[in-house]
Coordinates of all heavy atoms in Angstrom, one line a residue:
L641 N 100.0 95.0 90.1 CA 100.9 93.8 90.2 C 102.3 94.1 90.6 O 102.9 93.4 91.4 CB 100.9 93.2 88.7 CG 101.6 91.9 88.6 CD1 101.0 90.8 89.4 CD2 101.5 91.4 87.1
L642 N 102.8 95.2 90.1 CA 104.2 95.6 90.5 C 104.3 95.9 91.9 O 105.3 95.4 92.6 CB 104.6 96.8 89.6 CG 106.0 97.3 89.9 CD1 107.1 96.3 89.7 CD2 106.3 98.6 89.1
E643 N 103.4 96.6 92.5 CA 103.5 97.0 93.9 C 103.4 95.8 94.9 O 104.1 95.6 95.7 CB 102.4 98.0 94.3 CG 102.7 99.4 93.7 CD 104.0 99.9 94.0 OE1 104.4 99.9 95.2 OE2 104.8 100.4 93.1
K644 N 102.4 94.8 94.5 CA 102.4 93.6 95.3 C 103.6 92.7 95.1 O 104.1 92.1 96.1 CB 101.1 92.8 94.9 CG 99.8 93.5 95.2 CD 99.7 93.7 96.7 CE 98.4 94.4 97.1 NZ 98.3 94.6 98.5
L645 N 104.1 92.7 94.0 CA 105.3 91.9 93.7 C 106.5 92.4 94.5 O 107.3 91.7 95.0 CB 105.7 91.9 92.2 CG 105.4 90.7 91.4 CD1 105.8 90.9 90.0 CD2 106.1 89.4 92.0
R646 N 106.6 93.7 94.5 CA 107.7 94.3 95.3 C 107.7 93.9 96.8 O 108.7 93.6 97.3 CB 107.7 95.8 95.2 CG 108.2 96.4 93.9 CD 108.2 97.8 93.8 NE 108.8 98.3 92.5 CZ 108.6 99.5 92.0 NH1 107.8 100.4 92.6 NH2 109.2 99.8 90.9
I647 N 106.5 94.0 97.3 CA 106.3 93.6 98.7 C 106.7 92.2 99.0 O 107.5 91.8 99.8 CB 104.9 93.9 99.2 CG1 104.6 95.5 99.1 CG2 104.6 93.3 100.6 CD1 103.3 95.8 99.3
I648 N 106.1 91.3 98.1 CA 106.4 89.9 98.2 C 107.8 89.5 98.0 O 108.5 88.7 98.8 CB 105.5 89.0 97.3 CG1 104.0 89.1 97.7 CG2 105.9 87.5 97.3 CD1 103.0 88.6 96.7
N649 N 108.5 90.0 97.0 CA 109.9 89.7 96.7 C 110.8 90.2 97.8 O 111.7 89.6 98.2 CB 110.3 90.3 95.3 CG 109.8 89.6 94.1 OD1 109.4 88.4 94.3 ND2 109.7 90.2 93.0
Y650 N 110.5 91.4 98.3 CA 111.3 91.9 99.4 C 111.2 91.1 100.6 O 112.2 90.7 101.2 CB 110.8 93.3 99.7 CG 111.5 93.9 101.1 CD1 112.8 94.3 101.0 CD2 110.8 93.9 102.3 CE1 113.5 94.7 102.2 CE2 111.4 94.4 103.4 CZ 112.7 94.8 103.3 OH 113.3 95.2 104.5
R651 N 110.0 90.6 101.0 CA 109.8 89.8 102.2 C 110.5 88.4 102.0 O 111.0 87.8 102.9 CB 108.3 89.6 102.5 CG 107.7 90.9 103.0 CD 106.3 90.7 103.4 NE 105.7 91.9 103.9 CZ 104.5 92.1 104.1 NH1 103.5 91.2 103.7 NH2 104.0 93.3 104.5
M652 N 110.3 87.8 100.8 CA 111.0 86.6 100.5 C 112.6 86.7 100.5 O 113.2 85.8 101.0 CB 110.6 86.0 99.1 CG 109.3 85.2 99.2 SD 109.1 84.2 97.7 CE 108.9 85.3 96.4
A653 N 113.0 87.9 100.2 CA 114.5 88.1 100.2 C 115.1 88.1 101.6 O 116.1 87.7 101.9 CB 114.8 89.4 99.5
I654 N 114.3 88.7 102.6 CA 114.8 88.9 103.9 C 114.5 87.7 104.8 O 114.9 87.6 105.9 CB 114.3 90.2 104.6 CG1 112.8 90.3 104.7 CG2 114.9 91.4 103.7 CD1 112.3 91.4 105.5
D655 N 113.5 86.8 104.5 CA 113.2 85.7 105.3 C 114.3 84.7 105.2 O 115.1 84.6 104.3 CB 112.0 85.0 104.6 CG 110.7 85.6 105.2 OD1 110.7 86.5 106.1 OD2 109.6 85.1 104.8
E656 N 114.3 83.9 106.3 CA 115.3 82.9 106.5 C 114.8 81.6 105.9 O 113.6 81.5 105.7 CB 115.6 82.6 108.1 CG 116.3 83.8 108.6 CD 116.5 83.5 110.1 OE1 116.3 82.2 110.6 OE2 116.9 84.4 110.9
G657 N 115.6 80.6 105.7 CA 115.2 79.3 105.1 C 115.6 79.1 103.7 O 116.0 80.1 103.0
D658 N 115.3 78.0 103.2 CA 115.6 77.7 101.8 C 114.5 78.2 100.9 O 113.5 78.8 101.4 CB 115.8 76.2 101.5 CG 114.6 75.3 102.0 OD1 113.5 75.9 102.4 OD2 114.7 74.1 102.0
A659 N 114.7 78.1 99.6 CA 113.8 78.6 98.6 C 112.3 78.1 98.8 O 111.3 78.8 98.7 CB 114.3 78.4 97.2
R660 N 112.2 76.8 99.0 CA 111.0 76.1 99.2 C 110.1 76.7 100.4 O 109.0 76.9 100.3 CB 111.2 74.7 99.2 CG 109.9 73.8 99.1 CD 110.2 72.4 99.1 NE 110.3 72.0 100.4 CZ 110.2 70.7 100.8 NH1 110.1 69.8 99.9 NH2 110.3 70.4 102.1
T661 N 110.8 76.9 101.5 CA 110.2 77.5 102.6 C 109.8 78.8 102.4 O 108.6 79.2 102.8 CB 111.2 77.4 103.8 OG1 111.7 76.1 104.0 CG2 110.5 77.8 105.1
R662 N 110.6 79.7 101.8 CA 110.2 81.0 101.5 C 109.0 81.2 100.6 O 108.1 81.9 100.7 CB 111.4 81.8 101.0 CG 112.4 82.1 102.1 CD 113.6 82.9 101.5 NE 114.5 82.0 100.8 CZ 115.1 82.4 99.7 NH1 115.1 83.6 99.2 NH2 115.9 81.5 99.1
L663 N 109.0 80.3 99.5 CA 107.9 80.3 98.5 C 106.7 79.8 99.3 O 105.6 80.4 99.0 CB 108.3 79.4 97.4 CG 107.4 79.6 96.1 CD1 107.5 81.0 95.6 CD2 107.8 78.5 95.1
S664 N 106.8 78.9 100.2 CA 105.6 78.3 100.9 C 105.0 79.4 101.8 O 103.7 79.5 101.9 CB 106.0 77.2 101.7 OG 106.4 76.1 101.0
A665 N 105.8 80.3 102.4 CA 105.3 81.3 103.3 C 104.4 82.3 102.6 O 103.6 82.9 103.1 CB 106.5 82.0 103.9
Y666 N 104.7 82.6 101.3 CA 103.9 83.6 100.5 C 103.2 83.0 99.4 O 102.7 83.6 98.5 CB 104.9 84.6 100.0 CG 105.6 85.4 101.1 CD1 106.9 84.9 101.5 CD2 105.0 86.3 101.8 CE1 107.6 85.6 102.6 CE2 105.6 86.9 103.0 CZ 106.9 86.5 103.3 OH 107.5 87.1 104.4
C667 N 102.8 81.7 99.6 CA 102.1 80.9 98.5 C 100.7 81.6 98.2 O 100.4 81.7 97.1 CB 102.0 79.5 98.9 SG 101.2 78.4 97.6
F668 N 100.1 81.8 99.3 CA 98.7 82.4 99.1 C 98.7 83.7 98.4 O 97.9 83.9 97.5 CB 97.9 82.4 100.5 CG 96.5 82.8 100.3 CD1 95.6 81.9 99.8 CD2 96.1 84.1 100.8 CE1 94.3 82.2 99.7 CE2 94.7 84.4 100.6 CZ 93.8 83.5 100.1
Q669 N 99.6 84.6 98.8 CA 99.6 85.9 98.2 C 100.1 85.7 96.7 O 99.5 86.4 95.9 CB 100.7 86.8 98.9 CG 100.3 87.3 100.3 CD 100.7 86.4 101.4 OE1 101.1 85.3 101.1 NE2 100.7 86.9 102.5
L670 N 100.9 84.8 96.4 CA 101.3 84.5 95.0 C 100.1 84.0 94.2 O 99.9 84.3 93.1 CB 102.5 83.6 95.0 CG 103.8 84.3 95.4 CD1 104.9 83.1 95.6 CD2 104.2 85.3 94.5
Y671 N 99.4 83.1 94.9 CA 98.2 82.5 94.2 C 97.2 83.7 93.8 O 96.6 83.7 92.7 CB 97.6 81.5 95.1 CG 96.4 80.9 94.5 CD1 96.5 79.9 93.5 CD2 95.0 81.3 94.8 CE1 95.4 79.3 92.8 CE2 94.0 80.7 94.1 CZ 94.1 79.7 93.2 OH 93.0 79.1 92.5
L672 N 97.0 84.6 94.7 CA 96.2 85.8 94.5 C 96.6 86.6 93.4 O 95.9 87.1 92.6 CB 95.9 86.6 95.8 CG 95.2 86.0 96.9 CD1 95.0 86.9 98.0 CD2 93.7 85.6 96.4
L673 N 97.9 86.7 93.2 CA 98.5 87.5 92.2 C 98.3 86.8 90.8 O 98.2 87.4 89.8 CB 100.1 87.7 92.3 CG 100.6 88.8 93.2 CD1 102.1 88.9 93.1 CD2 100.0 90.1 92.8
A674 N 98.2 85.4 90.9 CA 98.0 84.7 89.6 C 96.6 84.9 89.1 O 96.4 84.5 88.0 CB 98.3 83.2 89.9
T675 N 95.7 85.5 89.8 CA 94.4 85.8 89.3 C 94.5 87.1 88.4 O 93.5 87.3 87.7 CB 93.4 86.0 90.4 OG1 93.8 87.1 91.2 CG2 93.2 84.8 91.2
R676 N 95.6 87.8 88.5 CA 95.7 88.9 87.6 C 96.3 88.6 86.3 O 96.9 87.5 86.1 CB 96.7 90.0 88.3 CG 96.2 90.5 89.6 CD 95.6 91.8 89.2 NE 95.1 92.5 90.4 CZ 94.1 93.4 90.3 NH1 93.7 93.8 89.1 NH2 93.7 94.1 91.3
D677 N 96.2 89.5 85.3 CA 96.8 89.3 84.1 C 98.3 89.5 84.1 O 98.8 90.5 84.7 CB 96.2 90.1 83.0 CG 94.8 89.7 82.5 OD1 94.6 88.5 82.7 OD2 94.1 90.6 82.1

């Protein structure tokens, strides 16, 4: 979970756009993380 989060958080940090756009871009990866405990 930590390794996947680091990748997603880093990519969201360097992406352009507002928070909603950045969250939308990684929505599917975050949904897959939500299957973990």
Side-chain angles (χ1 to χ4, degrees):
L641 182 62
L642 176 61
E643 290 306 313
K644 292 298 180 183
L645 254 179
R646 282 182 176 158
I647 293 168
I648 292 169
N649 284 342
Y650 172 76
R651 289 181 180 166
M652 277 198 292
I654 63 172
D655 271 358
E656 294 180 10
D658 58 4
R660 194 175 84 162
T661 306
R662 288 182 281 145
L663 196 62
S664 297
Y666 298 99
C667 185
F668 186 69
Q669 289 91 344
L670 291 170
Y671 182 78
L672 290 178
L673 276 186
T675 61
R676 295 267 183 198
D677 286 333

